[in-house]
Amino acid sequence: MLGFSLRSLWNRRFVAGLTVLAISLSVALILGVERLRDGARDSFANSASGIDLIVAPRGNSVQILMATVFGVGGTGTGMTWESFEWLEGRPEVAWAVPIQMGDNHRGYPVIGTDASYFEHFRHSGGQPLSLAAGSSFTGDEADAAVIGAEVAARFGYAPGAVIVNAHGSGEVSFDLHDDAPFTISGVLAPTGTAVDRMVFVTLEGFDTLHAQEDAPLADPLDPATMPADGHGEDDAHDDHDAHDDHEEHGDHEGTGAGHGHEPDRINAVYVGLIDRTSVLGLQRAVNERPSDALSAVLPAVALAELWGITGTAERAMRLMAWAVALAGMIGMVVMLSATLDTRRREFAILRSVGATPARIFALIVTEAAVLTAAGLVLGVALLTVATFVTDPILSARFGLRLGWNVFGARELTTLFVIFCAGLFASLIPAVRVYRMTLADGLSVRL
């Protein structure tokens, strides 16, 4: 029966080929949409791996997550360094990493932070950041910068190269900071996350640059700026001593001593906890802090909210993929039904040589099974080729990894459902053939 079905389909190979192609495209689309969705979820989850809490100025949790982890958007006016020290000094906190934002380098976000970022940040299920070349910056290198793998690959940067950043986020640059260049000290190894598309600079370099922009010009006619009775130098000396005393005092008090430079304001803080069961208590303490309007965001909860927002688009894509599969099934039914009239003599001859109606019924179902199975195999092959071609591009550009496990449990279930749908669709033309009579096939209709 199978061999006879294959020879019959070969005689109608053009129409059969189009049917197989339609089914294969639907299979590749359905599996591809699922792969993209899983890749996007894994990429987002991996980018926030190891962060128990994100503290930022009061705002929407999804906005804070996108700005601090993925470098998209901003977090508002910022939070004070005193709030950072208060947060870092909490007994529940194991580590805290300050984050500054607001600049870009040729469209890539620039992040101001310190060496603790590279020590505590984790990605892809707990993997630490590693350097492909050079070294991370220390507190003594105000003009040092560490760049992600994608930035280095796109512009051909290497340790020792000098870069200039610009004010503004994304592709928009309001002011080029060409008077304060940075020297690349290290290049991070690829992570497949948003880190690959970031440029990291020191807190001192980031803060000093913006302090120069915001500093007002001195008025030469202002008596406060003019030395009087030769005491100007002494006053300046006294101010310098007072500043030294303040720095010495800061070295011995507070928990921010290990961060070197202490900016006035930062944009966010990554927080790691000693015991994750205390996260809700710390979140409540942050949200209720009276001196600074702050929000404490749980990355996992924010990701769930993000997927809730994009859920409509996901469902639309999935519905579109299954609609294409339905179109392929309908095309197969149309192809088999359209050829019934031209094959009536063929069926009549089979009946005359002893083929029962049930056997002819099975012939139609077998042809449909062959078409559906061929569409499934070709669809999986198309998806494999598409994955091989697009996976490096998606990984480099968007941090999405499709993976190669085509035959997972869910994929096998999807393929089985499509195959059963093809068999069910074949029942329509098969029932029509079953009802044909021998006399109807032997009489020629003009």
Side-chain angles (χ1 to χ4, degrees), residues 195-256:
V195 173
D196 296 341
R197 303 183 295 278
M198 292 181 176
V199 175
F200 301 92
V201 300
T202 63
L203 291 174
E204 183 177 359
F206 194 99
D207 196 46
T208 301
L209 182 61
H210 290 81
Q212 292 175 354
E213 290 181 349
D214 299 335
L217 295 176
D219 186 358
L221 300 180
D222 187 357
T225 62
M226 299 176 62
D229 299 329
H231 294 289
E233 184 178 354
D234 294 337
D235 292 340
H237 181 71
D238 292 340
D239 292 340
H240 180 71
D241 291 341
H243 181 68
D244 290 341
D245 292 340
H246 174 72
E247 289 184 348
E248 183 179 358
H249 180 73
D251 290 339
H252 294 283
E253 294 186 9
T255 55

Side-chain angles (χ1 to χ4, degrees), residues 43 47 69-71 109 148 150 191-198 200 398-399:
S43 176
S47 296
V69 177
F70 303 100
E150 181 181 333
T191 64
T193 66
V195 173
D196 296 341
R197 303 183 295 278
M198 292 181 176
F200 301 92
F398 306 105

Side-chain angles (χ1 to χ4, degrees), residues 252-445:
H252 294 283
E253 294 186 9
T255 55
H259 295 277
H261 177 73
E262 299 180 1
D264 293 332
R265 304 188 72 84
I266 58 177
N267 294 97
V269 182
Y270 289 166
V271 178
L273 301 179
I274 298 175
D275 184 4
R276 291 187 176 182
T277 59
S278 61
V279 64
L280 295 180
L282 180 59
Q283 184 184 36
R284 183 172 60 254
V286 171
N287 293 336
E288 295 176 353
R289 179 170 167 80
S291 60
D292 219 351
L294 302 176
S295 292
V297 176
L298 295 169
V301 175
L303 282 174
E305 293 181 10
L306 177 63
W307 292 124
I309 295 173
T310 60
T312 302
E314 287 187 17
R315 288 189 291 271
M317 292 180 62
R318 195 179 306 170
L319 181 62
M320 180 183 65
W322 282 103
V324 175
L326 178 61
M329 295 297 120
I330 294 175
M332 182 180 65
V333 172
V334 171
M335 188 271 293
L336 292 176
S337 300
T339 58
L340 290 183
D341 288 338
T342 59
R343 300 178 66 188
R344 283 188 174 183
R345 184 175 297 277
E346 174 188 346
F347 297 145
I349 294 174
L350 291 176
R351 293 282 297 274
S352 67
V353 296
T356 63
R359 236 179 131 71
I360 298 178
F361 179 92
L363 173 65
I364 300 299
V365 174
T366 303
E367 290 181 357
V370 170
L371 291 174
T372 306
L376 295 177
V377 173
L378 182 59
V380 171
L382 289 176
L383 178 63
T384 303
V385 173
T387 301
F388 178 78
V389 173
T390 61
D391 189 64
I393 301 174
L394 293 175
S395 178
R397 296 289 296 174
F398 306 105
L400 298 179
R401 293 180 176 176
L402 300 181
W404 296 95
N405 185 23
V406 178
F407 296 101
R410 187 169 56 188
E411 287 83 357
L412 289 175
T413 302
T414 301
L415 295 176
F416 179 75
V417 169
I418 295 176
F419 182 77
C420 292
L423 294 181
F424 181 78
S426 67
L427 295 179
I428 299 175
V431 169
R432 288 188 58 192
V433 170
Y434 184 83
R435 292 177 177 177
M436 287 180 181
T437 62
L438 182 61
D440 186 33
L442 293 176
S443 60
V444 179
R445 295 186 178 184

Side-chain angles (χ1 to χ4, degrees), residues 150-166:
E150 181 181 333
V151 181
R154 181 170 182 181
F155 302 118
Y157 290 152
V162 177
I163 61 175
V164 175
N165 300 327

